[in-house]
Each structure stands twice: as C-alpha cells, then as structure tokens.
C-alpha cells in the first residue's frame, strides 16, 4: 500500500467519522464559554461567580457544528430550487 493511498484512506475515514458525528449530535459546546452559557468572574474575595451571558451562543452554551451548518445550507438551497412552481404551459 503506497503512502498516498494510505493518506486518502485516512482522510475518507476522518470525513465519514465527522459526518456521522454531525448527524448524531449536530450541536457542540460553545468555544467561548465552554458550554456554560456565561463567563466566570470573581468577586472581591476571589470566589467565582456568574458573569455576563455569552454573546456568541446567546447564553445557550451550544453552537451548531460546521458540518451540520453546511448540510443545512445545502438542503435549504436544494429545497428552494426544486420546490419552485413551473410556469403554465411548460411540462
């Protein structure tokens, strides 16, 4: 097995694994707040307390994965292109 063939097989495996992950779990944790939905700040004594809501995920703690976002965009464009009514007189 050549090195190029092995690299192609690894890329296919990674791609299929990521596609399966996006299908099974389309939402991941927000990268900014680490899935908490807010920042952690400290008070004067140094004890952690809840900070402001995360603006990136709108305080949900979740974000849509890139692969799922691309699939949703493709499906929306495909549906919009195939659901258009035909002009009268054309079959």
């Amino acid at each position: 097995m050549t090195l190029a063939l092995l690299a192609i097989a690894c890329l296919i495996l990674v791609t299929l694994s990521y596609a399966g992950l996006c299908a099974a779990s389309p939402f991941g944790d927000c990268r900014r707040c680490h899935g908490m939905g807010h920042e952690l700040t400290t008070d004067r004594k140094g004890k952690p307390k809840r900070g402001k809501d995360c603006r990136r995920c709108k305080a949900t703690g979740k974000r849509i994965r890139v692969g799922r976002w691309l699939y949703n965009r493709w499906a929306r464009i495909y549906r919009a292109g195939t659901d258009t009514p035909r002009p009268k007189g054309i079959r």
Side-chain angles (χ1 to χ4, degrees), residues 1-63:
M1 188 179 238
T2 64
L3 187 60
L5 198 58
L6 182 64
I8 291 170
C10 287
L11 284 174
I12 289 173
L13 179 68
V14 167
T15 303
L16 291 176
S17 298
Y18 184 69
L21 177 68
C22 288
S25 176
F27 294 98
D29 288 339
C30 177
R31 292 186 200 113
R32 180 169 290 170
C33 65
H34 305 289
M36 293 181 62
H38 56 83
E39 293 182 66
L40 279 180
T41 59
T42 55
D43 60 3
R44 293 172 145 196
K45 297 176 187 174
K47 293 167 58 174
K49 67 175 192 172
R50 182 185 168 107
K52 292 182 179 179
D53 287 342
C54 180
R55 290 173 31 187
R56 186 176 197 178
C57 65
K58 299 181 180 99
T60 62
K62 296 293 180 185
R63 63 169 179 85

Side-chain angles (χ1 to χ4, degrees), residues 65-83:
R65 295 184 195 275
V66 175
R68 186 60 182 216
W69 182 85
L70 288 171
Y71 172 76
N72 288 348
R73 178 65 56 107
W74 173 81
R76 189 177 306 122
I77 291 171
Y78 180 77
R79 273 186 252 119
T82 56
D83 290 343

